[in-house]
Amino acid sequence: MTQRSHSISSMIAAVAAAAALGLPGMASAEYLHPTSDEVGVVVHADHFKSEKTRAQVRAEAEAAVQQGLLNFGEGSYPPPGPSAGPGKTREEVVRELLSETPAERNARMQLYSGG
């Protein structure tokens, strides 16, 4: 009878260990996928589903900086630069390139060639 109770408790322990080791992997399975190379995982960022907005994350980071909870450098990223407004469409850029004068083209080519 001891053999049987010993094997049942071993089986319960094995199931508990498998569940404990498997749960963290299942929690991150949304965007971390195992691979057979030396890295071991590949990250698919487009699979990640955030539950917080950018503003919420920024507010939490600022609060942590004020409370002294971040190590040196973690909260010292430069502030975002001023917005340049909406950019040009692809068609607008192509139209500008096709309508530039030879002098404008030479100036552009010198700018990008370093000469």
Side-chain angles (χ1 to χ4, degrees):
M1 193 68 146
T2 357
Q3 177 76 20
R4 185 178 212 187
S5 65
H6 190 54
S7 65
I8 291 175
S9 62
S10 298
M11 185 174 278
I12 291 172
V15 169
L21 294 174
L23 287 177
M26 290 166 54
S28 64
E30 292 179 7
Y31 64 101
L32 294 176
H33 302 283
T35 60
S36 59
D37 60 4
E38 62 187 37
V39 176
V41 294
V42 62
V43 176
H44 292 282
D46 54 329
H47 295 179
F48 179 73
K49 303 288 188 260
S50 178
E51 297 176 4
K52 295 181 181 180
T53 64
R54 180 180 295 264
Q56 290 172 323
V57 173
R58 283 185 184 264
E60 288 179 8
E62 288 174 10
V65 168
Q66 290 173 353
Q67 296 171 7
L69 299 175
L70 293 179
N71 290 333
F72 176 75
E74 289 181 331
S76 61
Y77 293 112
S83 174
K88 298 178 183 177
T89 65
R90 184 179 200 92
E91 291 78 25
E92 290 172 331
V93 172
V94 169
R95 199 174 322 119
E96 284 180 7
L97 284 173
L98 292 175
S99 66
E100 71 184 355
T101 65
E104 291 171 333
R105 182 181 188 284
N106 287 337
R108 181 176 50 84
M109 296 304 286
Q110 286 182 355
L111 176 70
Y112 290 117
S113 67

